[in-house]
Amino acid sequence: MTLEMLFVLGMVVVMLTLLLFEVSRADFVVFLFLVIFLMTNVISTEDALSGFSNEGLMTILLLFVVASAIEKHGIIEGVVYKLLGDKTTPRGALLKLLPPVGVSSGFLNNTPIVLALTPIVKDWALKRGFSPSKFLIPLSYITIIGGTLTLIGTSTNLIIHGLLISSGKDGYSFFQLAPVGIVILIFGLIYIVTVGYKLLPEHLTATEKIQSEAKEFLAEAEISEDFEYCNHSIIDVTKHAIKGIYIIEIIRDKRPLPEVNAHSYIQAGDRIIFSATLDAIGDIKDVKGLKLRTGSELTLEDLQTEGAVLIEAVVSHRSILLNKTLKTSRFKTRYQAGVIAIHRNNKRINSKVGDIVLKAGDTLLLLADESFLDVNKYSDDFYIVSNLTPPDKFMQNKRQGFGVLLLLGIMIGLVVAGILSMLKAMLVMVVILFVFKIISPRDAMTSIQFDVILLIGSAFGVGKAITNSGLATFVAEHIVMFAKPIGVLALLAALYLITNIFTELITNSAAAVIMFPIAVEVAEMMNTHYLGFVIAITIAASSSFITPIGYQTNLIVYGPGGYKFTDYIKVGVPLSIITMIITVTTVYLLWF
């Protein structure tokens, strides 16, 4: 092993460690190591920039815009309402819901699908006395599986497709992965509605738990004229008079103040809604000039005044809120919303809300103006998964929505017929969407997840470093040395397993880019065609079922379903094993 290989290996290990422990945002971490490899001359400037001009990456960028055009018209939501119906059993509902959602995930980005359907499925289940936790993990899993059906099913498929083209090889055809994906979809569906359904818990949702515990932390105080700190700022009041509280909202003249921050003033007649520990609430009872109303009398519904709604939001992987408290992030000022409670790992965090350090997957129950929904619909900071008093979701033009779907079908037909490449088809479609004003340039820009683009583009450069240093060849040699005596099946299983572990621990994009050069080197050493090995790592990189942090859709349903981390392990491990067996066996039979 050369010094350069040792350096690259060391840097990759450090990068994976930083990603694993979520020291910073994934896109920043991978970009940092891209810069390190560039500055140490492991890769050239051309290598460093190659990912950002890659065909697969550009296609992903355009698909964000296309998905936004479909999502805004509420087509998926409308279909799901009809599918679920009123008279059905939980398993019957899953059988009606999951197949069409799984198939549609092969053609649409699965993140907006799960984001749109989570509040619908959750509310539908609650109204019929079913636990949403029986439905939301299956919803996430089936969209992940559905992504293995086509070239555009997941970003991972397009990343590998781009890597194949940039290395001078033939990319995937549109349905290249379908022979494997269809088998996984069938057996995955059978598992989810039988064994998986039994393993799924029956938890209360985050909102239900918070509602049931309101008496332990939620309170309201009315300020009278003899309160010593009338006409003082919140920062003064919370320092001297009513310590240890987090003010959610101030109601003045029967209307919530539009903005509440540390420098807002308290006046006589104000009603202050706040969260605090039981000890802090007990201390406040004796403060002169405060008339206290505790959570035993106060409910979440009472908090909703004219224009104010309760909103459930999940902190995302790419949020600027990660590793910050509500105070240090200036949450109220930044988002014009108050946080009622924070839910993590199926429990409300029982401490002062303003001092809790936020992590990916935390569920925030917010009290905000209805405009919050429009302003933060495409926020990188959190996924809005529930609005307990929602405005009409279907105000958009459904005819336009079906028109966009028809146009997407035509473009896919042109790709399958070999008339256009996937990139050219998506370019044409986006231009048509702009020309006919189906989507505005502003909507297009807000729909693009630039952190994902930075992550993927940077990961290409890291992959180049692994190849250029000879590290890919070195690792491939040892994998072949270990598994060759057992046969090709063992090599496929080893590559699949390593890729899948990386996916669960870091990100699917990074896992795919790191393992691609190793898979190609293994194929060359075995003197076999590369396609089978590459398909195996493509499926493995997309198949994240064991943790809530391994894939965006798992994270979205984490809080709304009231899940524990262990629920994913319990339900996801058998599905991961099934997916691995099917992938390795099908790839071996078809490509070797």
Side-chain angles (χ1 to χ4, degrees):
M1 183 178 276
T2 66
L3 284 175
E4 187 177 58
M5 288 166 62
L6 281 170
F7 172 73
V8 172
L9 177 61
M11 289 297 98
V12 169
V13 169
V14 173
M15 182 186 77
L16 295 178
T17 303
L18 294 177
L19 290 171
L20 175 61
F21 290 101
E22 299 178 347
V23 173
S24 185
R25 285 172 37 157
D27 55 323
F28 175 76
V29 170
V30 179
F31 178 71
L32 173 65
F33 284 88
L34 171 71
V35 173
I36 291 172
F37 290 136
L38 175 63
M39 299 306 293
T40 53
N41 295 318
V42 176
I43 57 175
S44 65
T45 303
E46 185 180 347
D47 288 336
L49 297 175
S50 63
F52 297 98
S53 61
N54 183 272
E55 183 174 328
L57 182 64
M58 291 300 102
T59 307
I60 292 167
L61 187 150
L62 294 168
L63 280 167
F64 280 133
V65 179
V66 172
S68 173
I70 295 170
E71 179 191 358
K72 69 180 285 190
H73 293 97
I75 299 298
I76 297 169
E77 294 96 321
V79 171
V80 166
Y81 270 124
K82 290 180 181 178
L83 282 174
L84 289 172
D86 290 321
K87 297 178 181 178
T88 186
T89 62
R91 274 199 177 96
L94 285 175
L95 283 171
K96 288 194 287 184
L97 175 67
L98 298 187
V101 170
V103 172
S104 66
S105 299
F107 301 89
L108 303 171
N109 188 324
N110 52 16
T111 300
I113 290 177
V114 174
L115 201 54
L117 297 189
T118 294
I120 293 172
V121 172
K122 187 184 79 170
D123 291 347
W124 177 89
L126 288 173
K127 286 176 182 176
R128 285 152 186 82
F130 304 143
S131 172
S133 58
K134 287 288 189 181
F135 296 86
L136 296 182
I137 276 182
L139 176 66
S140 174
Y141 284 178
I142 207 70
T143 60
I144 293 172
I145 293 170
T148 63
L149 295 174
T150 71
L151 172 60
I152 62 172
T154 69
S155 59
T156 308
N157 302 350
L158 286 162
I159 291 168
I160 299 292
H161 172 70
L163 285 168
L164 286 168
I165 292 171
S166 62
S167 62
K169 298 175 173 60
D170 292 332
Y172 287 145
S173 64
F174 191 82
F175 289 111
Q176 187 93 62
L177 302 172
V180 184
I182 290 170
V183 181
I184 296 172
L185 184 64
I186 293 169
F187 282 90
L189 181 63
I190 292 170
Y191 165 78
I192 289 170
V193 298
T194 54
V195 178
Y197 182 83
K198 290 183 178 179
L199 295 174
L200 284 165
E202 292 195 42
H203 293 320
L204 292 173
T205 66
T207 304
E208 288 179 301
K209 273 189 165 290
I210 291 168
Q211 176 74 282
S212 67
E213 297 170 0
K215 64 182 179 181
E216 298 176 16
F217 69 92
L218 194 62
E220 178 185 321
E222 187 173 334
I223 309 296
S224 61
E225 291 183 358
D226 57 344
F227 179 57
E228 184 180 358
Y229 285 88
C230 276
N231 301 315
H232 283 246
S233 68
I234 286 177
I235 195 166
D236 285 340
V237 172
T238 53
K239 263 186 183 179
H240 304 292
I242 43 179
K243 299 176 183 179
I245 73 166
Y246 177 81
I247 295 179
I248 299 164
E249 189 172 73
I250 298 174
I251 299 172
R252 183 173 297 159
D253 298 326
K254 298 184 179 180
R255 293 186 64 84
L257 291 185
E259 182 176 348
V260 177
N261 57 49
H263 303 290
S264 298
Y265 281 80
I266 302 291
Q267 297 180 6
D270 286 352
R271 287 166 49 215
I272 303 173
I273 296 168
F274 63 91
S275 64
T277 62
L278 283 173
D279 289 341
I281 292 173
D283 293 339
I284 294 165
K285 284 182 180 179
D286 300 324
V287 175
K288 185 180 178 182
L290 293 182
K291 182 181 179 183
L292 194 66
R293 183 183 175 202
T294 65
S296 58
E297 306 164 313
L298 191 66
T299 67
L300 294 183
E301 285 73 18
D302 292 336
L303 303 184
Q304 299 180 93
T305 55
E306 186 179 344
V309 293
L310 290 168
I311 297 165
E312 198 173 339
V314 178
V315 178
S316 78
H317 278 117
R318 53 185 188 273
S319 178
I320 61 170
L321 302 171
L322 294 177
N323 303 315
K324 295 179 182 178
T325 66
L326 297 180
K327 285 182 179 177
T328 57
S329 64
R330 299 176 69 240
F331 191 94
K332 279 201 194 83
T333 303
R334 184 188 297 273
Y335 301 108
Q336 301 298 299
V339 179
I340 297 171
I342 300 174
H343 203 260
R344 180 184 298 161
N345 199 27
N346 198 33
K347 292 179 181 177
R348 180 181 62 84
I349 302 177
N350 187 23
S351 59
K352 187 179 176 184
V353 171
D355 295 332
I356 296 169
V357 177
L358 297 174
K359 295 182 179 180
D362 285 352
T363 300
L364 312 180
L365 186 61
L366 309 175
L367 187 64
D369 187 86
E370 286 186 1
S371 62
F372 178 92
L373 295 166
D374 294 326
V375 173
N376 295 285
K377 182 177 182 181
Y378 296 112
S379 173
D380 286 339
D381 298 330
F382 30 64
Y383 305 112
I384 299 172
V385 292
S386 177
N387 172 20
L388 303 186
T389 54
D392 185 6
K393 295 181 180 178
F394 308 116
M395 292 179 68
Q396 302 285 353
N397 187 333
K398 286 192 176 181
R399 184 175 296 178
Q400 277 192 354
F402 284 114
V404 176
L405 284 176
L406 177 61
L407 181 59
L408 178 62
I410 293 170
M411 292 298 111
I412 290 172
L414 294 174
V415 172
V416 173
I419 298 171
L420 292 177
S421 67
M422 197 68 228
L423 176 63
K424 289 179 179 178
M426 292 302 101
L427 278 169
V428 170
M429 183 165 180
V430 169
V431 169
I432 292 172
L433 293 177
F434 283 148
V435 169
F436 287 94
K437 297 182 179 180
I438 295 172
I439 191 169
S440 68
R442 182 181 177 184
D443 286 342
M445 289 298 293
T446 54
S447 68
I448 296 170
Q449 298 175 16
F450 286 102
D451 60 300
V452 175
I453 301 301
L454 178 61
L455 170 63
I456 295 171
S458 302
F460 273 87
V462 173
K464 286 280 187 181
I466 293 170
T467 303
N468 293 355
S469 65
L471 184 60
T473 303
F474 179 82
V475 174
E477 285 174 350
H478 283 76
I479 291 175
V480 169
M481 189 187 305
F482 169 75
K484 187 176 180 180
I486 308 173
V488 173
L489 269 173
L491 282 169
L492 284 169
L495 285 170
Y496 184 101
L497 192 59
I498 295 169
T499 307
N500 197 236
I501 289 171
F502 278 163
T503 293
E504 297 289 1
L505 297 180
I506 48 173
T507 70
N508 55 342
S509 302
V513 173
I514 289 170
M515 291 303 298
F516 174 80
I518 296 171
V520 171
E521 289 290 341
V522 167
E524 289 181 5
M525 291 175 187
M526 292 295 293
N527 198 27
T528 58
H529 199 270
Y530 61 85
L531 194 57
F533 291 113
V534 172
I535 287 175
I537 66 163
T538 304
I539 302 293
S542 297
S543 302
S544 175
F545 306 117
I546 300 176
T547 71
I549 61 173
Y551 208 88
Q552 284 178 322
T553 58
N554 288 343
L555 192 68
I556 290 168
V557 303
Y558 187 28
Y563 296 115
K564 298 178 182 177
F565 197 98
T566 51
D567 292 329
Y568 287 84
I569 297 173
K570 186 165 61 175
V571 184
V573 167
L575 183 57
S576 292
I577 294 170
I578 291 167
T579 304
M580 178 177 170
I581 292 170
I582 290 171
T583 302
V584 170
T585 305
T586 308
V587 167
Y588 180 76
L589 293 173
L590 295 180
W591 282 281
F592 292 97

